[in-house]
Amino acid sequence: MSLVIFLAVSLMLLSSAFAADPAKPLIGISKIVSHPALDAVEKGIQDELAALKVNAQYDLQNANGDANTAASIANKFQSEKVTLAIGIATPTAQALVNTLKGTPVVFSAVTDPVKAGLVKSLKKGEKTVTGVSDMTPVKEQIELLLKIKKVKRLGHIYTSSEENAVVLAGVVKQVCRVMGIEYVETTVSKSAEVKQATQAIIKRVDALYISTDNTVVSAMSAVTDVAMKNKVPVMSADPSSAETHPVLAAWGFDYYKMGRATGKMVAEILKGKKPEQIPTRFMTKASDVDLLVNLDVAKKLGLTIPKDVVKTANRVVENGKLTKK
């Protein structure tokens, strides 16, 4: 029996453990992989629903980066007749939308839901689909990197099969063109390939940019190990994972707050609001964004982070300690 078939059978057998209590909505949450940002979304959703007094039961699933497993999870949710399903990241959201035709699906941490085929427009939801986007401020992130180091060649590692990663790669390439920076890319299909991909371009670049690519972020240690050995700084769009890895700077969303925003949307739907009445929501407040700078990494690389950047940052790593402002 293949691993995929075994997983599918196992998921179906487990469905009996989630016989729905009619008094409680059963919410299925499927995330593409476990890493700090997506885990924070999952926790934020549950915390927000608890704060809103929504007494729900959950089936929490992790596809471990595999599209076939994501499809099996969607089938599991269908057999359980979940009240509502949440897809954290593009591949799991796509699997849920493709399978659960009559069940509300809320996506979260999806970069471009239109290109991913989840909704036709950002201005309104579909009959059973809506959610929260994490389109990241690529131009501002690269401008921040340039304040710290002169970069002629920027390396970018991304997952060729992950729709959000492909969309962001196009954005990074365009930003580099406008800024006069040579863009050097390499792609992976799974996290096990990230270290080799980093090694393939590390000698050709002055810095690395890592987007909100779930496969690559889940293997961030492989990126930073190679980068630090070669004295190449890493600019990341994921402050959550940067807290525990030697990333020079990270500027991106507070994914826990994104989870809270998603939970608020879920509560609206559970109370009767139709998904098609809810447009895709974006994290637009200044308080939704985090900036982390690592002074220890800067010192090891012989770089100086400007004082105004350090002052702006709400997370600073210095002498091995993380300070949150």
Side-chain angles (χ1 to χ4, degrees):
M1 183 184 292
S2 74
L3 178 60
V4 171
I5 294 173
F6 173 77
L7 285 170
V9 172
S10 299
L11 286 165
M12 292 299 287
L13 289 173
L14 280 170
S15 65
S16 61
F18 286 94
D21 177 346
K24 294 181 181 180
L26 174 57
I27 298 174
I29 301 181
S30 176
K31 62 186 175 187
I32 187 59
V33 72
S34 178
H35 65 67
L38 300 192
D39 294 347
V41 173
E42 186 179 76
K43 186 174 190 309
I45 291 167
Q46 295 173 84
D47 287 354
E48 181 63 24
L49 288 170
L52 294 173
K53 310 296 184 188
V54 176
N55 189 16
Q57 52 186 335
Y58 298 95
D59 183 358
L60 307 178
Q61 296 291 334
N62 175 8
N64 289 306
D66 185 82
N68 290 319
T69 305
S72 296
I73 292 168
N75 286 324
K76 177 179 188 289
F77 289 172
Q78 185 178 47
S79 69
E80 290 172 352
K81 294 182 171 57
V82 296
T83 311
L84 180 146
I86 301 170
I88 302 176
T90 302
T92 40
Q94 288 172 323
L96 295 175
V97 169
N98 290 338
T99 302
L100 302 173
K101 298 303 181 183
T103 302
V105 174
V106 174
F107 57 80
S108 188
V110 169
T111 300
D112 192 331
V114 173
K115 284 195 176 178
L118 301 174
V119 292
K120 294 185 182 69
S121 168
L122 298 175
K123 295 180 180 179
K124 67 173 187 174
E126 297 300 312
K127 186 176 180 181
T128 59
V129 185
T130 188
V132 181
S133 169
D134 67 345
M135 176 57 83
T136 192
V138 175
K139 180 173 180 285
E140 291 81 357
Q141 290 160 341
I142 295 175
E143 285 175 339
L144 174 66
L145 173 63
L146 296 178
K147 287 183 179 181
I148 304 171
K149 179 181 171 67
K150 186 176 181 180
V151 176
K152 291 182 179 179
R153 294 172 298 277
L154 183 66
H156 182 44
I157 305 155
Y158 69 95
T159 311
S160 56
S161 59
E162 200 169 311
E163 182 67 38
N164 70 302
V166 174
V167 168
L168 286 169
V171 176
V172 178
K173 191 172 186 177
Q174 177 61 23
V175 170
C176 284
R177 186 182 296 119
V178 171
M179 292 184 172
I181 299 170
E182 183 183 339
Y183 173 76
V184 181
E185 70 171 34
T186 184
T187 63
V188 298
S189 60
K190 54 187 177 182
S191 57
E193 298 171 358
V194 171
K195 185 170 185 178
Q196 187 176 356
T198 308
Q199 291 170 329
I201 64 169
I202 200 70
K203 300 289 188 184
R204 297 159 48 204
V205 301
D206 304 313
L208 288 173
Y209 173 81
I210 303 300
S211 70
T212 51
D213 180 319
N214 298 296
T215 301
V216 178
V217 170
S218 68
M220 186 63 85
S221 60
V223 175
T224 54
D225 284 351
V226 175
M228 290 302 290
K229 284 176 184 174
N230 289 272
K231 296 192 176 300
V232 172
V234 176
M235 175 75 209
S236 172
D238 178 28
S240 299
S241 61
E243 290 185 4
T244 52
H245 295 100
V247 168
L248 175 66
W251 188 7
F253 297 111
D254 181 324
Y255 278 84
Y256 176 75
K257 288 182 181 177
M258 185 172 293
R260 297 292 297 239
T262 306
K264 195 177 262 74
M265 183 180 282
V266 168
E268 290 175 26
I269 294 169
L270 291 175
K271 290 174 183 176
K273 195 166 185 178
K274 298 183 184 304
E276 61 192 337
Q277 298 174 322
I278 307 173
T280 296
R281 290 180 182 164
F282 294 85
M283 309 297 286
T284 56
K285 297 176 184 175
S287 59
D288 292 335
V289 181
D290 285 335
L291 170 59
L292 177 147
V293 294
N294 193 315
L295 300 179
D296 295 344
V297 169
K299 189 175 181 179
K300 287 177 183 176
L301 297 177
L303 300 171
T304 301
I305 299 177
K307 289 182 179 179
D308 64 317
V309 173
V310 177
K311 188 176 180 180
T312 304
N314 59 349
R315 304 186 193 188
V316 178
V317 178
E318 186 174 21
N319 298 323
K321 293 182 180 180
L322 171 68
T323 302
K324 295 185 179 183
K325 300 177 185 177

